[in-house]
Amino acid sequence: MPGHDTKIPDIILCECLARDGLQHESRVIPAGTKAALLDQIADCGFRRIEITSFAHPKYVPQFADADEVLAAVRPRPGVLFKATCPNPQAVTRALAARERGRGPEEISFLVSASEGHTRKNLRRSREEQWTNVEEMARLAGDAFTLVGTVSVAFDCPFDGKVSPDRVIEDARRFAALGVRRIAIGDTIGSGTPPRVKELVRLLREALPDAVFIAHFHDSRGTGLANCVAALEAGLRHFDTALGGTGGHPAGIAYGEGFTGNVCTEDLVTLFDAMGVDTGLDLDRMREVGRAAEALLGRQLYAKTIRMGETAHA
């Protein structure tokens, strides 16, 4: 299989371009184009890939083709394709896709660690969202690998600083539902390396059997530093997006400007320079990064994708 080997890498990246990276693009990308790009992404050696969302097409038109994309992307041994499920109806759709023979291997659920962000982003209270998540976990059963994301794990743009105790509480609630993979969402990119290390330490002490995932945004240009801090604190799973695309819904005014994800090309280049094995083919990945730029029709935010290019005045 191109881009894959049997050696387990030091860290696992989940490439999120096809979902998080595209969710707020104004132009709807055709399903066949998405599928072709996802095949290129898989060829790089990614073991986890966020493929689509089962969000209602009325609210996120980009993913009206979720079933079509899932059917078009061929399964890969050793690769988990993940779909976001915002509500119980989405889990039902994921189960139906599995029954048709091509559903996601992973599905993810979302909670916000603050009341203010929950009400602005999800239009309900935290307890109402947890009721939703409990129903989603019940519906999913053991059909998927489950991932739970705790948004605004460091700071909320509406309620201010978030207590680590709240994040630990949410992580415990996920674990009690059988969700072993838990993503720490730095939604507005306000985390710093010392805060990242401390939160990871507390989470790993509280839930030593859980798999924690760094899902950091790069609003303040600290995403790479925070990923290194998470690595040093013991994390081995990271969510990234080619070109630093995606981020939080543009319709929620944070006053923060850019909220894109940590850039895959730059983080892999950094880890490679540190001697950290990602299991990814850097040359292939930069090619896919350029393909993503061509698809979206603009230069994206990856710095290292320009490596080797001749600068012209």
Side-chain angles (χ1 to χ4, degrees):
M1 183 74 62
H4 287 269
D5 56 42
T6 57
K7 181 179 179 291
I8 303 299
D10 296 331
I11 60 100
I12 303 291
L13 267 64
C14 180
E15 174 50 51
C16 299
L17 169 69
R19 200 285 301 175
D20 199 340
L22 294 182
Q23 67 177 341
H24 300 298
E25 289 293 320
S26 58
R27 179 171 67 91
V28 173
I29 308 299
T33 304
K34 291 176 187 173
L37 188 64
L38 282 158
D39 272 332
Q40 287 182 268
I41 288 169
D43 283 343
C44 295
F46 288 97
R47 284 165 165 79
R48 296 180 63 235
I49 300 171
E50 192 171 43
I51 188 170
T52 191
S53 169
F54 284 109
H56 196 292
K58 174 183 175 182
Y59 301 108
V60 192
Q62 188 68 252
F63 305 122
D65 60 4
D67 291 310
E68 188 178 351
V69 171
L70 280 160
V73 176
R74 58 193 171 94
R76 303 282 187 125
V79 179
L80 298 178
F81 288 101
K82 176 164 74 78
T84 298
C85 290
N87 51 47
Q89 292 79 10
V91 177
T92 301
R93 290 180 61 197
L95 287 165
R98 287 294 292 269
E99 289 173 4
R100 289 192 297 270
R102 190 64 191 104
E105 288 79 26
E106 282 190 353
I107 59 173
S108 61
F109 309 147
L110 175 73
V111 299
S112 295
S114 75
E115 191 69 36
H117 187 262
T118 306
R119 291 186 179 277
K120 289 283 188 178
N121 187 38
L122 302 174
R123 299 180 182 86
R124 60 179 66 96
S125 70
R126 266 178 50 83
E127 282 311 307
E128 287 170 336
Q129 178 60 8
W130 269 112
T131 298
N132 259 351
V133 169
E134 288 163 5
E135 175 65 7
M136 286 189 274
R138 186 193 67 77
L139 286 169
D142 59 1
F144 311 95
T145 296
L146 302 181
V147 182
T149 298
V150 182
S151 292
V152 296
F154 294 94
D155 298 290
C156 171
F158 311 108
D159 296 351
K161 187 173 181 179
V162 173
S163 167
D165 291 339
R166 171 60 64 78
V167 182
I168 293 167
E169 172 196 336
D170 285 347
R172 288 188 189 277
R173 292 179 78 164
F174 271 131
L177 296 173
V179 181
R180 280 196 67 247
R181 297 189 177 203
I182 302 168
I184 307 164
D186 185 10
T187 309
I188 61 171
S190 62
T192 61
R195 293 180 72 191
V196 167
K197 285 186 176 182
E198 178 64 6
L199 182 56
V200 171
R201 181 186 69 79
L202 292 170
L203 285 166
R204 295 185 74 209
E205 286 179 357
L207 292 165
D209 295 328
V211 175
F212 290 104
I213 301 164
H215 184 104
F216 298 157
H217 291 185
D218 201 31
S219 309
R220 293 164 171 79
T222 56
L224 295 182
N226 288 338
C227 285
V228 172
L231 177 74
E232 292 175 344
L235 259 62
R236 293 295 178 266
H237 284 258
F238 299 82
D239 288 349
T240 61
L242 286 160
T245 50
H248 206 269
I252 298 180
Y254 285 172
E256 298 289 344
F258 174 77
T259 59
N261 291 282
V262 169
C263 176
T264 306
E265 299 97 319
D266 293 350
L267 185 62
V268 174
T269 302
L270 175 59
F271 279 164
D272 184 65
M274 293 170 60
V276 178
D277 178 25
T278 64
L280 298 171
D281 185 319
L282 266 170
D283 290 334
R284 282 179 184 267
M285 192 183 60
R286 290 186 182 125
E287 287 176 11
V288 181
R290 292 187 182 94
E293 290 190 332
L295 173 66
L296 298 179
R298 64 182 185 276
Q299 183 170 311
L300 300 177
Y301 303 100
K303 297 177 179 64
T304 57
I305 200 174
R306 311 266 81 88
M307 291 173 66
E309 294 183 3
T310 302
H312 298 281

